């Protein structure tokens, strides 16, 4: 069983913290700090396995980690998991993140989430908006790989397809605020033909405005 | 003026801009106040955004419990956007200890039975992460229903949720065993139905293997006689049934493993499917098609590893099942490509399975040899796993592992702390009566140069092994002495008592011991356990020391002044602990009764030494002295008693 998955940067700042075993909050933070210190001491050319720290469970647990440029991905597992298998699993997770975002290391730069409400979306905000979704996205992606501390799915395409479907669903719910700028401004600038003031109901001759733009 | 609430990206920028912890705390506290306010009277449509900010600060370690109720509201909302964030919040912020956690049970129930697939997925994910025992009991039927419904996505999640539920509430095994059996049967059946049928006369040898036993093939052929057609392409991928994906299979195997580990009936039941499992594994190993689940050319290594684990459980202590697996395991062990990590993962599991079931002897030898080969692998991870695996086997297959002892000992020299720790554990486990001298040499050499965090384990390991396997008492004493000199500060507290007892019991070695200890003490008075034992020994056998008759060591004249000077040095040294000083004083007092010469020098040293001691130590010395002096003693003894009185008074305590 996987007890916890931690991602932090070279300075020990957490970027993703997910526990599959219940720990009180203070202990969770202590575990993150302790794990970081243990992992930081390791050179890059030694093995990827560390006996776990004292907090997270004693002799049956070990830390399996991989270091990618600015980020450490650490899985804390018990003896029922295959050590080499977990190394591959970390790779699957990272490659999936890579597929969903431009560059995994950029995750370290900005973890943002924002459904931008502004009417005018320029290039900078568009970039910010993309980056804005990352923090949550990493959680959602992880949920498709590991669930309840067990391996759920290892096929990258499958995982990415699911995430994209869910994101589309979210977008479609967003209403007007999620519409692209052009559509919005088109609506704002619409030139409705004049509606006649006097509607002669008697002969049911009602002039209806031309709504072809909306079709 | 109210500062407007920040967007998450701006909040993060501000947090990153904070130069001190206090600044960061300030920013976050301000924002949390906004978040709280917005929970109270803000726009419900934007609630999920406030919560995502809260997740971020929670990750950094700040309190976020006030978001718990908001999570519940979001989960109950009808929008997917809200549910997504709400369920994530439940997983991050809620757990069994919070009473609020039960409140989401109803929402989960509704979502499981009526939600669209992504929503069902979210609910299952949450349940499998933080579902408490009560929640699991309440929702077991809902999850059971989802196990056999058409959507593969929901099914694979439901299966893993079932595993979690069984862990929380073992009685639920009864609920999940029937659908589980059905799943595997369906998979088997699905293969028969979903595949194009081959013309058997022209079938490829590998396809033949894959299609299972001749009896099975006949059955399939009989069922689909009228739909036979010749295939022009290589065989189809193994899982063409629309309902059964590799994801589901992985989950199913995990569930079966959990069931078998918990209930003997499940174990008996699933032993019957060993042939099917073997079939699936064989397919994976022999297929040359790159499936979507392959990693580095190995087809779905995660599934292979999981199946091997299950086979291990099924074959353990069961001759019949083990026999069925022998060929397959041999095939996997020889056919797996070991150039990449994925293949090695599979190979290791195979080895462990071979060793754990009642496998053929030849197969066991093959397995241990594979491990031995891995010890020489250039990849450190492989060496680590090899050492770990050998450690697991050392109890059950001691002689097989012994064959690799030289390599294991070499691994002690690893610079990598994880590896050398493993090598140390394994080396200690490999010590036995016949190799103890050689192994101790290696281990003691290791002790001298090993990293500090391993020293204590190494020292106590050596002492334990010495106790169990010492060929002679003298060797034993030498070994302990060496450990005390090299790593005295890392030995356990009882080491001193053990050594004094050992020496005391070996009369023929008294002279030898006291001489060696005297020499050791003369060189170094910093290692406290050593000093204590040496002082004790000198006190007990000082007369033998001064006699100077040694059989095997070069004779050396040691006279009283030298001994006294040494003990005085110990008393005066700032490195000596009070207990050590106590030992030294006691030794001096004993010497005064045993030595023939003038006792005045001893008295002076004793009085000097007493002034060093805190009260409890003095009292202890006093007690001890009284016991010593109770025996018949030469005239010097009376003076000592007076002296002790003076010394105690000088130390400021009543005696």
């Amino acid at each position: 069983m996987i007890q916890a998955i931690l991602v932090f940067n070279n300075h020990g700042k957490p970027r993703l913290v997910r526990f599959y075993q219940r720990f009180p909050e203070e202990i969770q933070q202590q575990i993150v700090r302790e794990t970081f210190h243990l992992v930081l001491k390791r050179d890059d050319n030694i093995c990827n396995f560390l006996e776990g720290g004292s907090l997270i469970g004693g002799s049956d647990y070990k830390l399996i980690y991989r270091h990618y440029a600015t980020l450490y991905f650490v899985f804390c597992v018990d003896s029922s998991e295959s050590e080499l298998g977990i190394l591959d699993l970390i790779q699957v997770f990272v490659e999936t993140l890579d597929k969903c975002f431009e560059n995994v290391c950029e995750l370290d730069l900005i973890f943002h989430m924002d459904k931008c409400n502004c009417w005018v979306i320029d290039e900078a905000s568009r970039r910010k908006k993309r980056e804005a979704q990352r923090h949550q996205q990493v959680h959602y992606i992880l949920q498709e790989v590991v669930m309840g501390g067990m391996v759920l799915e290892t096929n990258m395409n499958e995982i990415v397809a699911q995430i994209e479907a869910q994101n589309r669903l979210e977008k479609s719910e967003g209403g007007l605020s999620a519409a692209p700028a052009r559509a919005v401004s088109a609506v704002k600038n619409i030139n409705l033909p004049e509606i006649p003031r006097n509607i002669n109901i008697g002969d049911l001759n009602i002039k209806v405005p031309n709504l072809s733009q909306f079709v | 003026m109210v500062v407007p609430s920040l967007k998450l990206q701006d909040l993060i920028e501000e947090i990153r801009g904070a130069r001190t912890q206090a600044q960061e705390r300030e920013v976050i506290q301000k924002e949390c106040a906004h978040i709280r306010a917005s929970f109270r009277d803000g726009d419900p449509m934007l609630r999920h955004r406030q919560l995502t900010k809260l997740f971020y600060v929670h990750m950094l370690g700040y309190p976020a419990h006030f978001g718990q109720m908001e999570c519940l509201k979001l989960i109950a909302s009808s929008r997917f956007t809200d549910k997504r964030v709400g369920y994530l919040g439940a997983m991050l912020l809620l757990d069994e200890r919070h009473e609020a956690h039960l409140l989401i049970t109803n929402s989960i129930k509704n979502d499981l039975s009526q939600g669209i697939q992504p929503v069902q997925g979210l609910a299952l994910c949450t349940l499998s992460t933080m579902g408490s025992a009560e929640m699991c009991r309440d929702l077991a039927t809902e999850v059971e229903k989802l196990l056999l419904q058409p959507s593969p996505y929901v099914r694979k999640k439901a299966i893993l949720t079932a595993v979690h539920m069984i862990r929380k509430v073992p009685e639920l095994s009864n609920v999940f065993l029937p659908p589980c059996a059905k799943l595997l049967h369906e998979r088997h059946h699905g293969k028969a139905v979903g595949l194009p049928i081959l013309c058997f006369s022209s079938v490829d040898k590998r396809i033949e293997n894959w299609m299972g036993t001749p009896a099975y093939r006949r059955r399939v052929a009989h069922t689909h006689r009228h739909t036979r057609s010749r295939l022009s392409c290589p065989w189809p991928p193994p899982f063409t049934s629309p309902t059964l994906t590799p994801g589901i299979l992985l989950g199913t195997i995990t569930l079966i493993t959990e069931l078998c580990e918990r209930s003997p009936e499940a174990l008996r039941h699933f032993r019957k499917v060993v042939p099917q499992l073997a079939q699936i594994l064989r397919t994976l190993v022999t297929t040359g098609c790159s499936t979507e689940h392959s990693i580095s050319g190995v087809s779905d290594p995660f599934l292979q590893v999981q199946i091997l684990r299950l086979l291990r459980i099924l074959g353990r202590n069961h001759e019949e099942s083990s026999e069925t697996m022998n060929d397959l395991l041999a095939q996997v062990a020889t056919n797996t490509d070991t150039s990449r990590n994925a293949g090695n993962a599979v190979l290791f599991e195979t080895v462990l399975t071979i060793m754990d079931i009642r496998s053929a002897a030849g197969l066991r030898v093959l397995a241990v040899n594979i491990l031995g080969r891995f010890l020489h692998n250039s990849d450190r991870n492989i060496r680590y796993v090899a050492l770990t695996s050998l450690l697991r086997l050392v109890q059950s297959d001691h002689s097989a592992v012994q064959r690799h002892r030289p390599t294991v000992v070499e691994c002690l020299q690893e610079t990598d702390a994880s590896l050398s720790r493993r090598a140390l554990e394994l080396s200690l486990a490999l010590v036995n009566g016949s190799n103890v001298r050689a192994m101790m040499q290696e281990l003691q050499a290791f002790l001298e140069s090993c990293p500090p965090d391993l020293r204590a384990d190494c020292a106590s390991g050596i002492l334990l092994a010495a106790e169990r396997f010492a060929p002679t008492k003298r060797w034993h004493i030498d070994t302990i002495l060496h450990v005390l000199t090299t790593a005295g500060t890392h030995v356990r507290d009882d080491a001193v008592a053990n050594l004094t007892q050992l020496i005391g019991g070996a009369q023929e070695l008294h002279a030898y011991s006291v001489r060696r200890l005297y020499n050791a003490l003369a060189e170094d008075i910093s290692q406290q356990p050593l000093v204590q034992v040496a002082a004790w020994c000198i006190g007990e056998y000082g007369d033998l020391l001064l006699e100077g008759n040694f059989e095997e060591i070069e004779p050396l004249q040691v006279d009283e002044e030298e001994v006294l000077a040494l003990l005085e040095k110990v008393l005066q040294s700032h490195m000596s602990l009070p207990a050590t000083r106590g030992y030294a004083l006691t030794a001096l007092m004993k010497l005064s009764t045993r030595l023939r010469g003038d006792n005045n020098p001893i008295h002076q040293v004793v009085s000097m030494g007493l002034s060093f001691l805190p009260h409890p130590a003095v009292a202890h010395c006093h007690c001890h002295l009284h016991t010593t002096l109770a025996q018949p003693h030469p005239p010097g003894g009376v003076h000592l008693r007076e002296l002790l009185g003076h010394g105690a008074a000088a130390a400021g305590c009543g005696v």
Side-chain angles (χ1 to χ4, degrees):
Chain A
M1 194 189 151
I2 299 171
Q3 303 292 315
I5 294 178
L6 309 171
V7 180
F8 38 74
N9 69 2
N10 290 347
H11 304 290
K13 284 292 182 191
R15 288 289 173 250
L16 178 79
V17 172
R18 199 63 186 262
F19 282 90
Y20 297 99
Q21 184 88 304
R22 127 180 121 69
F23 290 105
E25 249 96 33
E26 324 81 61
I27 305 289
Q28 283 189 8
Q29 282 300 310
Q30 260 183 292
I31 289 171
V32 173
R33 277 196 298 274
E34 187 187 64
T35 307
F36 171 64
H37 283 121
L38 283 171
V39 160
L40 195 65
K41 277 196 280 188
R42 310 276 293 170
D43 292 329
D44 268 341
N45 56 352
I46 53 183
C47 74
N48 299 88
F49 308 115
L50 253 183
E51 307 303 301
S54 50
L55 285 173
I56 202 160
S59 58
D60 193 27
Y61 298 100
K62 52 171 71 83
L63 300 173
I64 301 179
Y65 71 95
R66 288 190 96 139
H67 190 193
Y68 296 88
T70 52
L71 290 175
Y72 284 96
F73 285 75
V74 185
F75 280 43
C76 181
V77 304
D78 66 13
S79 55
S80 72
E81 295 293 334
S82 154
E83 289 103 340
L84 299 178
I86 294 290
L87 282 180
D88 278 332
L89 187 65
I90 298 179
Q91 185 69 18
V92 165
F93 179 43
V94 171
E95 281 182 18
T96 311
L97 290 177
D98 211 26
K99 232 178 180 160
C100 293
F101 307 123
E102 275 128 41
N103 184 346
V104 175
C105 293
E106 278 183 26
L107 284 172
D108 182 41
L109 295 177
I110 304 167
F111 262 48
H112 281 185
M113 195 263 180
D114 183 70
K115 289 281 194 282
C116 194
N117 232 349
C118 52
W119 293 101
V120 179
I121 304 173
D122 60 8
E123 182 52 54
S125 319
R126 213 173 289 139
R127 183 174 35 87
K128 258 188 174 179
K129 186 182 174 188
R130 271 201 311 271
E131 291 160 344
Q133 294 165 7
R134 274 179 192 174
H135 185 205
Q136 298 305 105
Q137 287 295 310
V138 179
H139 271 291
Y140 300 143
I141 292 168
L142 183 59
Q143 274 166 207
E144 299 299 327
V145 181
V146 175
M147 199 179 89
M150 295 168 278
V151 178
L152 174 67
E153 180 61 68
T154 53
N155 178 350
M156 263 193 296
N157 297 327
E158 185 67 43
I159 298 165
V160 173
Q162 268 304 320
I163 294 292
E164 283 176 352
Q166 289 174 20
N167 287 345
R168 278 197 299 272
L169 188 54
E170 215 182 295
K171 243 191 177 136
S172 72
E173 272 182 353
L176 213 55
S177 60
R182 280 202 209 98
V184 167
S185 49
V187 171
K188 277 170 80 181
N189 297 329
I190 202 161
N191 206 355
L192 283 169
E194 284 231 88
I195 299 171
R197 286 183 181 280
N198 302 317
I199 300 169
N200 193 347
I201 300 173
D203 51 22
L204 292 172
N205 198 7
I206 302 165
K207 226 182 170 183
V208 178
N210 186 3
L211 296 169
S212 60
Q213 294 99 314
F214 285 104
V215 175
Chain B
M1 197 194 96
V2 177
V3 179
S5 163
L6 299 165
K7 295 206 187 74
L8 178 61
Q9 68 211 50
D10 300 324
L11 171 65
I12 293 174
E13 268 181 60
E14 269 211 37
I15 292 174
R16 290 165 67 86
R19 257 163 287 145
T20 62
Q21 189 72 13
Q23 248 185 327
E24 182 184 280
R25 219 186 340 258
E26 207 186 301
V27 168
I28 288 177
Q29 272 173 358
K30 243 188 335 187
E31 192 54 37
C32 283
H34 280 299
I35 295 175
R36 277 187 149 107
S38 93
F39 283 161
R40 269 197 321 267
D41 15 65
D43 180 2
M45 294 283 279
L46 299 179
R47 195 175 279 146
H48 67 270
R49 253 199 258 163
Q50 302 296 336
L51 213 48
T52 59
K53 280 191 275 185
L54 200 56
F55 296 159
Y56 190 81
V57 307
H58 176 252
M59 181 180 71
L60 295 178
Y62 295 90
H65 48 273
F66 56 89
Q68 286 169 8
M69 293 313 287
E70 300 310 309
C71 296
L72 301 183
K73 290 185 199 159
L74 283 175
I75 292 172
S77 149
S78 54
R79 299 199 319 150
F80 178 69
T81 315
D82 287 339
K83 282 185 191 288
R84 221 183 183 189
V85 176
Y87 274 122
L88 180 59
M91 285 187 268
L92 294 177
L93 303 177
L94 280 176
D95 65 43
E96 295 175 13
R97 294 164 301 134
H98 304 113
E99 288 177 15
H101 87 275
L102 284 172
L103 297 172
I104 65 174
T105 312
N106 230 16
S107 299
I108 295 185
K109 194 179 241 166
N110 290 336
D111 285 336
L112 286 180
S113 50
Q114 295 154 19
I116 52 174
Q117 283 183 31
V119 169
Q120 288 175 316
L122 287 175
L124 287 167
C125 187
T126 308
L127 187 52
S128 69
T129 305
M130 47 76 70
S132 63
E134 305 97 82
M135 284 171 75
C136 291
R137 276 195 205 96
D138 284 341
L139 296 165
T141 7
E142 293 304 325
V143 174
E144 192 198 341
K145 275 192 254 169
L146 294 176
L147 280 181
L148 296 167
Q149 62 111 287
S151 154
Y153 175 67
V154 176
R155 283 175 99 179
K156 75 179 177 193
K157 288 201 164 182
I159 293 170
L160 283 190
T161 308
V163 179
H164 172 85
M165 288 177 142
I166 292 174
R167 284 183 184 159
K168 282 291 182 189
V169 186
E171 302 85 66
L172 288 175
S173 306
N174 303 326
V175 171
F176 290 115
L177 201 149
C180 194
K182 233 181 180 176
L183 274 168
L184 205 60
H185 171 74
E186 192 182 323
R187 187 238 162 271
H188 191 62
H189 185 64
K191 196 168 70 173
V193 164
L195 299 167
I197 299 307
L198 315 159
C199 177
F200 293 112
S201 55
S202 64
V203 81
D204 190 290
K205 194 73 179 121
R206 284 184 294 179
I207 296 176
E208 213 174 9
N209 275 341
W210 173 61
M211 284 298 282
T213 63
Y216 171 71
R217 289 206 296 276
R218 278 196 294 277
R219 264 206 329 275
V220 171
H222 177 77
T223 316
H224 299 279
R225 194 167 296 161
H226 57 283
T227 59
R228 274 191 194 181
S229 56
R230 196 181 281 266
L231 263 191
S232 53
C233 71
W235 68 83
F239 311 107
T240 52
S241 161
T243 54
L244 282 142
T245 62
I248 294 181
L249 201 49
L250 181 63
T252 310
I253 304 290
T254 312
L255 180 56
I256 297 176
T257 310
E258 188 70 29
L259 286 167
C260 290
E261 275 175 340
R262 287 177 183 274
S263 116
E265 307 102 68
L267 195 59
R268 270 193 299 274
H269 178 95
F270 286 109
R271 279 212 178 103
K272 298 190 211 119
V273 306
V274 167
Q276 270 107 297
L277 294 170
Q279 194 50 30
I280 301 171
L281 187 55
R282 198 171 281 127
T283 315
L284 288 169
V285 172
T286 53
T287 183
C289 290
S290 62
T291 67
E292 284 202 317
H293 279 74
S294 70
I295 293 186
S296 318
V298 178
S299 315
D300 207 341
F302 296 96
L303 182 57
Q304 289 194 41
V305 162
Q306 206 62 11
I307 294 177
L308 283 163
R309 272 238 166 97
L310 179 56
L311 289 176
R312 191 181 316 162
I313 295 174
L314 295 174
R316 198 178 282 154
N317 294 326
H318 198 250
E319 289 288 348
E320 202 187 308
S321 306
S322 303
E323 245 185 78
T324 339
M325 295 177 209
N326 272 327
D327 287 337
L328 169 67
L329 292 172
Q331 192 177 10
V332 177
T334 41
N335 281 5
T336 305
D337 170 24
T338 56
S339 57
R340 305 294 296 275
N341 189 59
N344 286 322
V346 173
L347 198 51
F348 268 112
E349 286 308 314
T350 315
V351 164
L352 289 173
T353 302
I354 292 173
M355 299 310 285
D356 216 5
I357 64 173
R358 300 269 174 89
S359 50
L363 203 51
R364 297 181 90 83
V365 172
L366 173 66
V368 180
N369 286 346
I370 291 176
L371 287 182
R373 220 174 52 224
F374 277 139
L375 277 182
H376 293 281
N377 195 304
S378 52
D379 183 347
R380 283 189 168 86
N381 291 331
I382 305 284
R383 291 210 294 275
Y384 177 91
V385 184
L387 286 170
T388 312
S389 311
L390 284 171
L391 197 56
R392 281 167 78 154
L393 299 176
V394 78
Q395 300 301 330
S396 52
D397 289 78
H398 192 87
S399 43
V401 182
Q402 277 286 355
R403 245 173 268 135
H404 298 286
R405 187 167 51 84
T407 326
V408 172
V409 168
E410 267 173 42
C411 290
L412 284 172
Q413 308 307 322
E414 293 276 358
T415 43
D416 180 346
S418 294
L419 281 172
S420 53
R421 175 183 289 278
R422 280 277 174 248
L424 175 64
E425 281 169 25
L426 191 50
S427 304
L428 287 170
L430 285 174
V431 176
N432 62 22
S434 46
N435 62 25
V436 66
R437 283 185 195 261
M439 286 299 280
M440 280 302 145
Q441 256 188 319
E442 299 282 353
L443 287 168
Q444 283 176 340
F446 177 63
L447 185 61
E448 284 172 16
S449 56
C450 74
D453 47 348
L454 286 179
R455 222 164 249 179
D457 290 328
C458 188
S460 52
I462 291 177
L463 292 178
L464 237 96
E467 215 174 291
R468 284 178 69 192
F469 299 112
T472 63
K473 278 201 173 146
R474 182 162 142 168
W475 180 93
H476 195 177
I477 291 172
D478 284 340
T479 307
I480 303 184
L481 194 58
H482 186 258
V483 171
L484 289 182
T485 3
T486 328
T489 40
H490 293 92
V491 296
R492 285 198 328 252
D493 295 331
D494 55 355
V496 172
N498 285 345
L499 185 52
T500 53
Q501 206 175 23
L502 181 64
I503 295 176
Q507 195 174 9
E508 68 283 11
L509 292 169
H510 287 168
Y512 173 75
S513 309
V514 73
R515 176 58 201 281
R516 291 234 36 215
L517 282 165
Y518 176 80
N519 283 346
L521 189 62
E523 283 190 28
D524 177 12
I525 60 167
S526 65
Q527 305 262 29
Q528 298 300 294
L530 179 66
V531 174
Q532 288 172 9
V533 177
W536 172 87
C537 207
I538 292 173
E540 285 295 309
Y541 312 118
D543 44 340
L544 296 175
L545 179 66
L546 297 170
E547 266 171 33
N549 282 333
F550 304 107
E551 293 154 8
E552 283 139 44
I553 318 178
E554 217 176 272
L556 179 74
Q557 256 328 92
V558 178
D559 54 20
E560 277 180 43
E561 283 96 51
E562 283 171 349
V563 174
L564 277 187
L566 191 55
L567 288 173
E568 191 176 340
K569 201 170 149 195
V570 169
L571 282 173
Q572 284 182 320
S573 165
H574 64 276
M575 292 185 281
S576 298
L577 300 170
T580 313
R581 291 204 176 104
Y583 270 97
L585 265 180
T586 317
L588 281 167
M589 290 179 209
K590 286 187 202 166
L591 281 178
S592 77
T593 64
R594 288 180 223 271
L595 301 181
R596 269 161 258 133
D598 174 22
N599 277 327
N600 275 325
I602 298 186
H603 298 172
Q604 284 172 14
V605 177
V606 167
S607 70
M608 179 271 292
L610 279 175
S611 63
F612 271 103
L613 296 184
H615 172 53
V618 172
H620 172 84
C621 264
H622 189 232
C623 264
H624 188 86
L625 182 59
H626 267 265
T627 330
T628 318
L629 295 183
Q631 301 150 15
H633 51 266
V638 175
H639 291 258
L640 262 179
R641 215 182 305 178
E642 279 173 26
L643 201 63
L644 196 57
H646 284 309
C653 51
V655 188

